[in-house]
Amino acid sequence: MLDRFNGLPPAAAQEALLACCASPGWAARVADHRPYPTSADVVVTGVAEFDALTWQDLAGVLAAHPRIGERPAGDSTEAAWSRREQARVEGADEELAMANRAYEERFGHLFLVFASGKTATEILAAARGRLGNDEETERRVVRGELRKIVELRLELLVT
């Protein structure tokens, strides 16, 4: 997979990276570092470039994510990864929808959590718990959760 990624034309590499993190600037910067000697180098570079994103950049990335409990349709790589990440989120649909609405009203953006391996009950508890955060704290939490998603997706892309 790494050889394939390294060999992609720049626009195709950026498109592949957008499934990991929906920031065009981030995708361009990560693609510009090719060729990568190892898969780990892609992940390290991608995470470092992610860490440099501003909150405004992250707001755009958040807008590209589906709400927890709302699995995206379609055959894009990002949709498939989102469905896989939310595979254990079954049941509690109404409660998750209510928690999503409360969170969005409180913070002005969708609730994001690294959902891989988590049940609906665990995610619901996280959403409810994070409603008590102040905005600065929640931004740090969101950045950390999104960072874990980006790291996982980069690994899936190149390994």
Side-chain angles (χ1 to χ4, degrees), residues 112-131:
L112 185 109
V113 66
F114 181 73
S116 291
K118 290 184 174 68
T119 64
T121 302
E122 292 168 318
I123 291 171
L124 190 55
R128 288 175 175 158
R130 286 169 49 188
L131 284 170

Side-chain angles (χ1 to χ4, degrees), residues 80-138:
W81 286 345
S82 289
R83 286 190 299 271
R84 179 176 163 181
E85 292 160 3
Q86 293 192 40
R88 294 190 62 204
V89 182
E90 295 178 2
D93 292 343
E94 191 172 318
E95 289 179 282
L96 279 171
M98 288 173 47
N100 279 331
R101 280 193 300 279
Y103 183 93
E104 289 175 22
E105 288 172 12
R106 167 88 171 89
F107 294 108
H109 56 80
L110 67 81
F111 170 69
L112 185 109
V113 66
F114 181 73
S116 291
K118 290 184 174 68
T119 64
T121 302
E122 292 168 318
I123 291 171
L124 190 55
R128 288 175 175 158
R130 286 169 49 188
L131 284 170
N133 288 346
D134 60 67
E135 189 168 333
E136 182 180 327
T137 299
E138 187 55 22

Side-chain angles (χ1 to χ4, degrees), residues 46-70:
V47 169
E49 291 293 346
F50 173 83
D51 288 343
L53 295 176
T54 65
W55 179 253
Q56 185 176 358
D57 295 327
L58 293 182
V61 174
L62 285 171
H65 276 266
R67 286 182 179 86
I68 291 293
E70 295 179 7

